[in-house]
Each structure stands twice: as C-alpha cells, then as structure tokens.
Amino acid sequence: MSGKRRAAGPAQTSTTAKKGATAEGSGAKRPRTRKQQVWRVARWLLVVGLVGMLVAVGGFIYAYQTTDLPDPNDEFETQTSFIYYSDGKTEVGSFATQNRQSIPLDQMPQNLQDAVVAAENRSFWTDNGIDPKGIVRAAFSNAQGNSTQGASTITQQYVKILYLTQERSYERKLKEAILSLKLQREMSKSEILEGYLNTIYFGRSAYGVQAAAEAYFGKDAKRLSLRESAVLASVLNNPSNFDPANGKDSKKALKERYTYVLEGMADAGNISAEKAEKAGRKLPKFPEIAAESRYGGQKGHMLAMVRSELHDLGFDDQQIDGGGIRVTTTFTKKAMDAAAAGVREQRPEGPEFSDKNLHVGVASVEPGTGAIRGIYGGQDYLQSQINWAVTGGMVGSTFKPFAVAAALEEGFSLEDTFDGNSPFYYNEEGTGDRVRNEGYGSDGLGTDYGSAISLLRGTEDSINTVFADLTVSMPDGPEKILETAVDLGIPNWNKNARGGYNNLDNSPGLEPVSGIALGSATIAPVNMANAYASIANGGRAARPHVVQKVVDKDGEPLYTFKQSTKQAIDEDVAADTSYAMQQVVQSGSGTAALNLGRPAAGKTGTATNADDDVASAWFVGYTPQLATAVMYVRGKGQEKLDDWLPEYFGGSYPARTWTDVMGRALEGAEIEDFPEPAHLDGEAPDDGHDPYTPPPKPTKKPTKKPSKTPDEPSDTPDEPSDTPTPSDTPTTPPPATPPTCDPLVGCQTPPPSTPTPTPPAATAPASTPPAARRG
C-alpha cells in the first residue's frame, strides 16, 4: 500500500479531475474576448490587403512594362486641308474630318497656356501625369452609385483623346493611367500641352485653339487677349453649357467659370490679383461669326471640282479630308465674283425664273494656260449639287466654229460659197433628211438666203443650210469636224461612261454624223470655253484645270501643274476662224457683245429637243485674254425655253450675260487686238463653192433711137435682201444627227418627225432689235 495520505473529503473521479485541470491547469485554452476577435479578423484582412496590393502593384507594373503607346486615333491625327484662290493666300474653303489646324506652342499666347492649366489641371507642371487622389475620390464616388467621374489631368485627357475612346469604364481608366505615365516619360510637359491644345474640343465644331479662336473671336490664336484666352479655357469644361451664344443662362455660367479661371491664374502667380480682378469684371466682346457653310453658294461647286481633280491626280479622300494639304487653285476671286454678278444682273426677274427653275452655267478659261478662272454652277450648292458649268447641255450653233476651222484646214476659204436656201436636203433628189433655216420663208420651211452664201456670212448670220452643205462638201466632213473639235479641247463621247452630272471628260451625243455642225451634242460650258480659248491662243490647245499646286502641311510640294500646249489647228486657220467670229459680234447674231467695248469674237447658239422646243441658249466668246461660255437651260436641261423666257435666242440673255461677266472680269485689263486675218485661199476639195462673182454687164451698142430690146440685167446679184433676218435656227436635230442627249437622263433616239416651223421673228418682243434675236 502506498504511504501517501489522501486528503479529506470525497474522492474525485477521473472525469472531475480532468475537468478541473482543463479549467485551471496551465495548459488550458481560455475564451477570446471581443477585442481579441476583432484584432484577429483585422490581421487577416491586413494580410489579404497586403497580398492584394502586391498583386495589384505587380499587375500594374507588368501592364506598364508590357503596354506600348498605341497608334493615335486617326481622326485626331487629321488636319484640315485648305483650298486657296490663285494668289495662294485668299481662302476658298476647306476639307476636314474635323475643323482643326495644328499650330506650335510658341504661337499660343502664354496667357492662354496659363489659363488652360488653371482651368483644367493646376498641378500640371509638377505632377506625374496622373492624379491619385482624384482617382481614389472618383472611385469612391462611383462605388456609391454616383455618375462616373473623370478626375483626369491634362495628360490623361490628352491620352484619352489621342489613344482611347470616350467609353466610361474602370478598364479604360486603368489604360488611361498607364498610358499617361508612359507618355509622361516620352514627352516633355510642353509637348503634351501643345498636343492637348491642338486636339481638345472647344465647341462650335472647333478642335484645337486655332479653330476655336476663329470660331469664337474670328482671329488667329496668337492674337487672343487675356480675357479671350480665359474664355476659351473656361469653355473647355463644358462647351455646350458655357457657349455664350446659347443664351443668358450659358453666359451666366460662363462668367462664373471665367472668374474661377482668372483667380486660378492669379493664385499661380501668372497674373496679378489686380489684373485678374479687372479682367473678371466683364466678358470680352463676341463678334458675330458668319454661320455660312463652307459649301454654301458657289463655293461648294468650286470645292467639288477641286476634289474631283485631286482624285484624278492620285490624291485619296484621306489625304484630302485629313492630310492638312494646301491646294492653290486657278480660280480668281475677281472672275468668280464677275460670273455671279453678271448672272444676277442679266437673268430675267420673277419667281418662275429662280435658280431652281432657270439654270445658268458660266465658265471662264484663260487662253494659253487652260486655267479655269471663274465658274457659275447655278443653284446654291447646299440646295443642288448639279454644277451646270460642268454638266452642260446641247450647244447648238456654238459648235459651228469648229466646222469653220475644219473647212479652212481642208482648203476652203471664208469667201467660198455654200447653199443658203432652206431647206437643204442631204440627197440630190431633194427628199429625206433635211436641214432648214430659222423663219418661215416663202414655203414655210425656213428663210432663203440664196444659193451662193459665203462661209463668212454663213457664220455671221448662223445660217444652218450653209453648214449642212459645208459638212457634206468635205471628204469625211463629219469626221474632220469631230477631229478638229476634239483637238481644240472638246472631249469625245464615251458611250461606256456612266451618266451623271459631270461632263468634263465626256460629250454625250457627239458623233461624226452629217448634222454634227448644228450642235446636238451635250457639252460642258467649261469645255466650250476652253476650246474657244484654243482658237484665241493661235490654235494652241491647253488642258483645262483647276488645281495649280499642292503642298503638305509643312509646305513641301506634292504636285505642281506642268504647263503645256499643242498645236490643234494652224495659226492662220485660227486667225481666220477668229475673224469670222468677230463679224458675229460686229454685225451678226451676237451684237449685244459690242457693249463690252473691246475687240471680241463669239458665237450664238440655240438647240431644240425632240419636241422641237428650244431647250438651250448659248453665247460663247473671247478676247485675247479670256474665253467665257454662257448657257441657259431649264428644269432638267431639256425643257422648253420658248414661250417661257421673254427672249430665248443666244443673242439675247446669254450674250448680255456674257458681256456683263466679261466686263467685270476684264475691268482694268489692257485692251488687246486680235491678229489680222490670214485670208486663206487654199484648194477646196469640192467644186462649185468658189466666191460669188456677179455677171458682167453687156456692152451697149450706140443707136440713134432707144432700143426695143428687153431691160438690161441688173448689177445687183440675185441674193436675199440685206435686211437682217433672224437666223441661227433653234436647231431641231435632223434625223442624220446624233440622238438627243438629256444631260441628266442620257441619250435617247427621237422618233422621225417633220420639223415644226419656228414662229416668225415678228413674234419676238418688239423692243428687241432683229440682230439680237438671231441665235
């Protein structure tokens, strides 16, 4: 037995003993207090937070190291392309994806730079490109369900514009922060500020400070005052809300923001407090900025012609709209203004003769260069994109000078004679296809002028039958006339070309048929003016063009027009053709052009549609310095002019409009004379066209008493009266001519029909002299 003594009291069981040991023994676990429990949770959260932070930092570092600056967004790399008149300084208009023009920082006033920093990012010059506090603040705000906040520095805004989208998301904000830090290391603060100020949106469709200065104050950015600079810096925050043009509330909101910006400039030491206080008393004056679209009026037609030619030269739309190119055109403001004013002054008045109904196309081309100096395309470009100066219409008798030149090249002379009686039949039997002169004549089929009318008089009075006889008298006459016209600058007819409104490279309906000289083809006024300019230039033709020079945004040349001409017709042929057209002005169907007060040559023309209605009226002419074509058409280009226009011959409204346009365009220019005619007299390829010679008088024998023989023949040739008779028939294309070509619909072959006689000249207004009604 053991020698140990048991304590008094009841014996303890093993279970009881164990319980006591657990409660009071040194190895027992005690219950945790609430404080201990909170601390335990906090430790775990701290560990998780530290791990998460390490992961986030590691992820950010990895993203930073693996992220490269992407290519800039295309639209913010673009620059406005500017189009200038021929002086290279006066602006016609612009092409732009955005209205933006980059300028260097040294052309931005210091006040403007300081104002933008004060308005948008006062720590710009010292921060690292991001604002951590702002990001945290925005994160909490966004987490609470508020609207997504930006908290962006100038660097972050620039990155968002240049590289990212406007999407509001945390992923985009992370990219923005990474790229901002990257950009901060690769660009200086000044470079970042310059880029930002050239891309940020200021409202009024203006991107960048240069466009904004023009949009708000009508001046270059370098000329902005302190007040104006503070306004632009204020507008940046919310362009629509702070634009003073949007009403009193916007102006009031702008004033508050404007004061905030000036105070920020004073706090930064950019300006004195006194200066800030003085400037803050009132906003600067806002001039009225013309709201006219850059495509309004005739500018749209001009710019469309420029774009089309740039395409032909190999420039694509990306270069044109966003390449910042500078294009010097051939247009002169003087010629453009002359065309618009001449049309406005001479066209008939009344709502029925508005630009929507009556279309006037005008084109002026410089002889020797092909430079298109002025155009009038018709209706405001914003109302209609059809430019009638390049669409054109049937040219009528203005095509006849090409037949004159072709005949002179073949050996005929201006004194050679042709059949002036009406009608003229293409076959010897006097049946079938025929051409008639204007007027009724004795048989109701046109005025008779005589069987032997000189080519000179036929041109002067625009006698149709003379030119029909001339055409068939030349071997391959239609082909020769077509070849001459093309050589002088009239495009061939490309039957495979799409229809449309631009006929600068196409002449629908122009075919080598017997009626070619009567002008049923559709030709653009630009091409008619250019072909006449070739005659004025001694027969040397030049390519018509509107683009003279193209340089890039840095002034490096990209294209320069290379001047060249080719001898289309002999110089003497050009001199005699020109002489014939001078007689049209001096005493023929175009005497209205005498009012120009300087030597001029020209030709009237009218043409009829398939219903024998007059559908176009023309006058094309030139001086040695300038050639101009004027065309009047109605509706879609084929609608009736007679009994609608007060006067519908080429010698009326078109000739008077031509005279007005040329007078304005040539004001102050030296008066120049044409070369003397060569009086060519070659060997004509066909007999029976020699100059008319009156028969000699019979010799009288002396007698002692009066003779009982019949009266002696008269010394007067058997020709029509010298009284001018309206000629230059509004030509119904005979069946031998090409199909009628509607410039907006295409070419259609009319059914055979007998021409309806034109009303006699007496039906024209009595106030119009006979000469003005011819053509």
Side-chain angles (χ1 to χ4, degrees):
M1 111 181 250
S2 169
K4 294 182 180 179
R5 295 178 64 185
R6 179 176 62 85
Q12 292 183 348
T13 65
S14 62
T15 304
T16 303
K18 288 179 180 178
K19 286 181 179 178
T22 302
E24 299 176 5
S26 60
K29 293 183 179 178
R30 297 178 181 178
R32 294 183 179 87
T33 65
R34 182 170 182 79
K35 183 177 181 181
Q36 289 173 325
Q37 290 176 348
V38 171
W39 173 242
R40 188 167 183 265
V41 171
R43 282 185 301 172
W44 277 107
L45 288 176
L46 181 61
V47 171
V48 171
L50 288 173
V51 172
M53 184 178 297
L54 289 173
V55 171
V57 171
F60 188 86
I61 293 173
Y62 175 79
Y64 180 85
Q65 291 177 340
T66 58
T67 301
D68 294 323
L69 288 175
D71 291 332
N73 293 327
D74 288 342
E75 62 182 3
F76 284 98
E77 279 286 275
T78 66
Q79 287 201 44
T80 302
S81 295
F82 290 93
I83 315 301
Y84 299 97
Y85 285 100
S86 62
D87 61 7
K89 299 177 181 178
T90 308
E91 186 179 322
V92 173
S94 60
F95 296 119
T97 302
Q98 299 175 344
N99 180 18
R100 188 172 71 83
Q101 182 183 8
S102 292
I103 59 175
L105 193 65
D106 61 13
Q107 289 187 23
M108 303 176 193
Q110 188 62 49
N111 278 334
L112 175 63
Q113 300 175 43
D114 294 337
V116 170
V117 169
E120 296 295 306
N121 182 192
R122 295 185 178 182
S123 64
F124 171 73
W125 295 107
T126 58
D127 63 36
N128 292 318
I130 61 174
D131 180 7
K133 292 181 180 179
I135 293 174
V136 172
R137 185 173 61 251
F140 273 105
S141 177
N142 299 337
Q144 292 172 2
N146 298 328
S147 60
T148 307
Q149 293 189 6
S152 295
T153 63
I154 283 177
T155 306
Q156 286 175 271
Q157 292 183 56
Y158 183 44
V159 163
K160 180 174 64 176
I161 292 170
L162 197 60
Y163 300 120
L164 303 175
T165 67
Q166 299 303 308
E167 173 194 5
R168 288 179 175 265
S169 68
Y170 296 113
E171 181 182 357
R172 202 265 305 163
K173 289 294 292 183
L174 178 62
K175 288 182 179 178
E176 180 183 296
I178 292 172
L179 293 176
S180 296
L181 291 172
K182 282 256 182 195
L183 192 67
Q184 185 79 20
R185 293 177 62 88
E186 296 192 12
M187 296 177 67
S188 69
K189 287 286 189 178
S190 293
E191 290 172 327
I192 291 172
L193 184 61
E194 178 182 306
Y196 173 79
L197 290 175
N198 276 317
T199 55
I200 193 68
Y201 184 59
F202 286 84
R204 299 192 180 185
S205 300
Y207 291 81
V209 295
Q210 177 63 24
E214 294 172 351
Y216 284 86
F217 300 107
K219 61 174 63 174
D220 289 334
K222 63 184 178 182
R223 295 176 51 225
L224 292 170
S225 68
L226 169 61
R227 283 192 173 99
E228 292 164 343
S229 296
V231 163
L232 293 187
S234 302
V235 165
L236 275 178
N237 185 261
N238 192 329
S240 60
N241 188 47
F242 293 143
D243 188 340
N246 292 337
K248 292 183 178 179
D249 290 342
S250 292
K251 197 167 186 177
K252 181 179 179 181
L254 171 64
K255 181 64 165 58
E256 294 177 0
R257 180 72 177 175
Y258 171 76
T259 301
Y260 166 79
V261 171
L262 290 170
E263 289 175 350
M265 295 178 70
D267 291 342
N270 304 133
I271 57 175
S272 65
E274 293 77 16
K275 196 168 187 179
E277 192 275 331
K278 182 179 179 181
R281 292 173 189 168
K282 61 180 180 179
L283 293 168
K285 291 183 179 180
F286 294 92
E288 288 189 15
I289 305 298
E292 181 187 6
S293 166
R294 66 179 182 271
Y295 293 110
Q298 295 302 302
K299 286 186 177 181
H301 296 303
M302 298 167 70
L303 292 173
M305 291 176 69
V306 171
R307 179 184 290 273
S308 177
E309 190 164 314
L310 287 172
H311 283 160
D312 292 341
L313 294 172
F315 292 87
D316 59 29
D317 284 326
Q318 185 175 355
Q319 291 172 289
I320 296 171
D321 289 321
I325 60 176
R326 307 295 190 261
V327 181
T328 300
T329 70
T330 60
F331 295 118
T332 67
K333 194 171 188 310
K334 184 177 182 180
M336 286 298 304
D337 290 346
V343 171
R344 183 174 59 250
E345 288 297 318
Q346 297 301 326
R347 67 182 302 145
E349 297 181 355
E352 68 272 30
F353 304 126
S354 68
D355 270 348
K356 186 176 181 179
N357 300 315
L358 176 62
H359 309 301
V360 183
V362 177
S364 296
V365 177
E366 184 176 78
T369 67
I372 300 172
R373 297 304 188 189
I375 58 114
Y376 184 83
Q379 198 170 358
D380 186 316
Y381 184 84
L382 298 179
Q383 303 299 321
S384 172
Q385 285 73 58
I386 300 175
N387 178 355
W388 291 97
V390 302
T391 297
M394 290 191 296
V395 293
S397 293
T398 58
F399 201 86
K400 287 175 180 174
F402 307 138
V404 173
L408 295 174
E409 290 272 11
E410 287 299 298
F412 286 102
S413 76
L414 292 178
E415 297 303 319
D416 285 342
T417 57
F418 300 90
D419 192 351
N421 288 327
S422 183
F424 176 87
Y425 290 89
Y426 284 103
N427 60 39
E428 295 180 357
E429 289 75 22
T431 59
D433 296 346
R434 67 186 182 185
V435 172
R436 64 174 177 80
N437 295 325
E438 186 265 330
Y440 280 109
S442 58
D443 55 2
L445 292 177
T447 301
D448 289 329
Y449 288 87
S451 59
I453 300 301
S454 71
L455 180 56
L456 181 63
R457 187 185 173 195
T459 304
E460 179 182 337
D461 288 340
S462 199
I463 302 173
N464 291 334
T465 57
V466 166
F467 283 88
D469 189 9
L470 169 69
T471 301
V472 299
S473 297
M474 286 190 291
D476 301 321
E479 289 79 6
K480 295 287 176 57
I481 294 172
L482 175 59
E483 180 182 354
T484 300
V486 170
D487 288 344
L488 286 168
I490 302 299
N492 263 309
W493 181 17
N494 180 2
K495 297 181 181 180
N496 296 322
R498 291 182 179 181
Y501 308 136
N502 189 336
N503 285 317
L504 283 179
D505 299 318
N506 194 25
S507 299
L510 183 57
E511 290 187 297
V513 294
S514 55
I516 186 173
L518 305 184
S520 62
T522 294
I523 302 175
V526 166
N527 291 327
M528 288 300 295
N530 185 55
Y532 274 46
S534 300
I535 300 173
N537 189 43
R540 296 194 66 85
R543 176 168 63 88
H545 63 286
V546 296
V547 177
Q548 191 66 32
K549 183 175 66 173
V550 183
V551 300
D552 67 14
K553 61 179 182 291
D554 298 318
E556 293 297 319
L558 299 176
Y559 167 80
T560 301
F561 179 78
K562 294 182 179 178
Q563 185 61 58
S564 64
T565 59
K566 66 174 184 178
Q567 196 71 47
I569 58 176
D570 185 80
E571 189 173 357
D572 288 343
V573 169
D576 278 4
T577 303
S578 187
Y579 176 74
M581 285 192 283
Q582 291 172 59
Q583 308 318 302
V584 173
V585 173
Q586 288 295 322
S587 55
S589 58
T591 53
L594 284 172
N595 289 326
L596 182 62
R598 61 175 69 215
K603 185 69 189 73
T604 56
T606 51
T608 58
N609 57 25
D611 297 326
D612 201 25
D613 295 324
V614 176
S616 66
W618 291 71
F619 188 84
V620 188
Y622 55 87
T623 67
Q625 302 106 312
L626 193 67
T628 294
V630 175
M631 176 193 75
Y632 275 60
V633 294
R634 178 187 179 190
K636 294 182 178 180
Q638 284 284 326
E639 297 179 30
K640 184 177 181 179
L641 293 180
D642 42 331
D643 299 329
W644 182 70
L645 274 180
E647 302 170 79
Y648 53 85
F649 287 107
S652 58
Y653 285 109
R656 293 195 293 270
T657 302
W658 180 92
T659 305
D660 197 320
V661 171
M662 290 287 282
R664 297 171 190 269
L666 294 172
E667 184 177 1
E670 182 181 354
I671 295 178
E672 296 184 14
D673 292 319
F674 290 108
E676 291 296 322
H679 298 298
L680 294 172
D681 188 13
E683 295 183 4
D686 189 52
D687 294 333
H689 299 286
D690 293 336
Y692 179 83
T693 304
K697 294 181 181 181
T699 303
K700 293 183 180 181
K701 296 181 180 179
T703 56
K704 294 182 180 180
K705 58 182 178 178
S707 173
K708 296 180 180 180
T709 57
D711 292 340
E712 298 172 0
S714 169
D715 292 340
T716 304
D718 185 17
E719 291 187 353
S721 167
D722 289 337
T723 302
T725 305
S727 58
D728 195 35
T729 309
T731 317
T732 300
T737 63
T740 300
C741 292
D742 186 318
L744 305 185
V745 177
C747 298
Q748 300 175 344
T749 303
S753 62
T754 302
T756 302
T758 302
T763 61
S767 60
T768 304
R773 298 198 300 267
R774 295 202 301 279

